[in-house]
Amino acid sequence: MAEPELVDVVVLGLGVGGEEVAGRLAEAGLTVVGVERDLVGGECPYWGCVPSKMMIRAANAVAEARRVDGLAGTAQVTPEWAPVAKRIREEATDDWDDRVAVQRFTDKGGRFVRGSGRIDGPGRVRVGDQVFQARHGIVLGTGTRPSVPPVDGLAETPYWTNRAAIEVEELPASLLVLGGGAIGLELAQVFARFGVRVTVVEALDRVLAVEEPESSEAAAAALRADGVEIHTGVKAARVEHGAGGFTLRGTEGEEFTAERLLVVTGRRAHLDELGLDTVGVDASGRYLPVNDRLHVTDGIWAVGDVTGEGAFTHVAMYQASIVVADVLDHVRRADGGADPSGTASVVGGAVGSASSLAATGSSGAAGSVPRADYRALPRVTFTDPEIGAVGLTEQQARERGINVQVGFTRLSSSARGWIHRTDEVGFIKLVADADQGVLIGATSAGPAGGEVLSALVVAVHAAVPLTQLRHMIYAYPTFHRAISDALRNLGR
Ligand SMILES: Cc1cc2nc3c(=O)[nH]c(=O)nc-3n(C[C@H](O)[C@H](O)[C@H](O)COP(=O)(O)OP(=O)(O)OC[C@H]3O[C@@H](n4cnc5c(N)ncnc54)[C@H](O)[C@@H]3O)c2cc1C
């Protein structure tokens, strides 16, 4: 067995969260080994957020051009997929090559190891023949993979997950999308706008089921307007694939056919691969439970999708800043004793200087590491209209026994919505805690729903009193001005 190599920290998985933690700890002067088996950067830049939003940008341009009719004359649009695929290949992903990302990490002083790593006892990580002993800790940023339902026959077919859908160079004539969550709807709308005959099949009784029912209605209406067929309440029983493409059969005898099948029914962490048993951590759950400083257990932190706290890049980045601060705090305590001023340099050569620690932006002082707080977790479904949401839905708030007040307004009844004309489904919905006099949740659906959301995120995050929200000035005629109408309607 190879002699373990002593380092400060090992980061397993260099997706969004792991890369951020590893890079910042290396910049702080720690000896950091970053292990990645696939591409540094993870799902978001290569098969997730970035390329999917490039596709959406292109599809929205097509849709906007089609709106010229009736507003500004006539326009003929001939959508072509080739420029979209080229942009994804060349600009977003470097043809799915991570050389730039690897160098970004090594330029910060990190040591990169390509391979699949697993924990091999306390503080120890094994990657093939290499074994590292981490003096200060291990950070797990191993993300998730698509969760494919156990539908009869499915595993034997060449179904797509998000990766094939993002990499596609030539569009199929027709596409079945199994799963009506955010990713399924975003991709369904894109492909429909490029002329693919798209059918969405969802097991629950509405698409976008984790959001407000009004959001589900808005998304479904918008997609149907783009020609997407939506079938809810359909439980997939069997999938077949042959020369004619895919056939999906539901438990009630429903039948859908298409050239391609995209399965987007959620994602799951693969904890069983991480060697957690060697450190006494239960690996049987769907995700890795963490506390509010992202500790899994002594000397092990987790970050990003693997924690199950929200499968979003902004959650991974938010958690990463807490992990960085906490690891550095831990290093100070371990090497120099608690140092409330945060100015002591770490002994043992692990940290070069006090200023390098300060440069990480961590608060420095022991005990002042920020705690994770997900009350104001924002999420945006980038359909057109965009559907942004923060905090609790009305139903979640009622289930918690909160004295709920709801305020609702349609964008079409606001000046900007009326001027815009093309948005019939946009709305603002506010969920307030009437006893506390603050917003605890909100949804903003509309042409810039994700941007309008920012004001609502601040309101929920900072618990801005409703009285203050009612007495501030909202620019006319913006989409966000509809927030003041929804506030007026609270409790009505
Ligand atoms: C189609 C799609 C669209 C999305 N759009 C958005 C969006 O618009 N906005 C948003 O906020 N989020 C979006 N997301 C979610 C976002 O991509 C994830 O939340 C984010 O990538 C999570 O980062 P992570 O670091 O936790 O994990 P990942 O990005 O999954 O990275 C984990 C990395 O760990 C590596 N790894 C795993 N196990 C090991 C091991 N044992 N050894 C070595 N390496 C390992 C993997 O290869 C992977 O590179 C989207 C996701 C998809 C699929």
Side-chain angles (χ1 to χ4, degrees), residues 12-18 35-39 41-44 47-49 52-53 115-117 141-144 162 183 267 274 303-306 311-314 316 382:
L12 215 49
L14 297 182
V16 181
V35 185
E36 171 56 53
R37 68 170 160 215
D38 204 344
L39 295 179
E43 206 70 13
C44 179
W47 298 283
C49 335
S52 70
K53 266 76 245 177
S116 248
T142 46
T144 54
N162 63 297
I183 294 173
R267 303 180 64 86
L274 301 178
V303 68
D305 284 9
V306 71
F312 300 101
T313 285
H314 45 269
F382 290 89

Side-chain angles (χ1 to χ4, degrees), residues 186-228:
E186 289 179 6
L187 294 173
Q189 190 175 43
V190 165
F191 290 130
R193 287 179 166 184
F194 278 85
V196 178
R197 190 166 49 77
V198 181
T199 306
V200 174
V201 176
E202 164 60 49
L204 298 174
D205 62 357
R206 59 187 175 98
V207 293
L208 223 50
V210 294
E211 299 296 352
E212 297 282 8
E214 294 88 343
S215 302
S216 307
E217 283 165 27
L223 263 71
R224 284 189 172 121
D226 279 310
V228 176

Side-chain angles (χ1 to χ4, degrees), residues 155-166:
E156 291 82 56
T157 69
Y159 64 87
W160 283 358
T161 64
N162 63 297
R163 292 197 169 193
I166 295 286

